[in-house]
Amino acid sequence: MIEAYKLIGCVVLASVFGCAQRPELLPNSDPALNKKSTELAADAAKRFPYKSDAPRGGTAKGRCQVGYGLHRLEIVNQSDTDWNDVDVWVNQSYVVHLPVLKARADKVTSIPFQAIFNDKGRSFPTDGKTHIDKVEVYYGGTMYDVPKQLAD
């Protein structure tokens, strides 16, 4: 019996340390987010500075939900067209890139806070003190506000 517990412990430790480079323990269903943290941080660095001079498109036909307990930002495109080559900006200081957010998606894209990086290579804090005040999407050369709500 003790040998079985040792084996289980070894498997758990191997899986945890084998995934130390990823922002979450289990693989993300979105291939764009199923990368190492260093890859996500490097990609985010290319997106800076924040596009403050980009044309404003008003409110996007979509929504996002912030789950502080699970440290996730969930976003969905409720429009009739795909959003391609999308930068999701949080508080104008953190960004993550998604190749596409499909139109009329019935599946929410779930982004772990640890996949959203600032220009210094630091992921969005999971300290419970830092809040998401503003979420925007930048695609097609235009910046859009995304309506935000808290998760249940």
Side-chain angles (χ1 to χ4, degrees), residues 19-108:
C19 300
Q21 288 280 325
R22 289 201 335 236
E24 53 190 344
L25 186 58
L26 299 175
N28 194 297
S29 60
D30 187 328
L33 297 170
N34 197 17
K35 297 178 181 176
K36 292 180 179 180
S37 294
T38 53
E39 294 171 310
L40 291 164
D43 185 62
K46 294 186 245 178
R47 315 269 166 210
F48 284 91
Y50 171 78
K51 315 291 187 275
S52 60
D53 58 348
R56 303 296 303 187
T59 301
K61 191 168 183 186
R63 67 173 178 81
C64 68
Q65 178 172 281
V66 180
Y68 291 108
L70 296 174
H71 308 297
R72 311 189 85 58
L73 174 68
E74 297 174 336
I75 189 165
V76 65
N77 172 0
Q78 297 173 320
S79 74
D80 294 326
T81 57
D82 291 348
W83 298 345
N84 293 301
D85 197 26
V86 180
D87 292 339
V88 179
W89 284 91
V90 174
N91 296 347
Q92 300 180 346
S93 301
Y94 293 84
V95 67
V96 63
H97 179 76
L98 300 172
V100 66
L101 275 172
K102 293 283 189 184
R104 298 266 177 214
D106 56 350
K107 181 181 162 212
V108 172

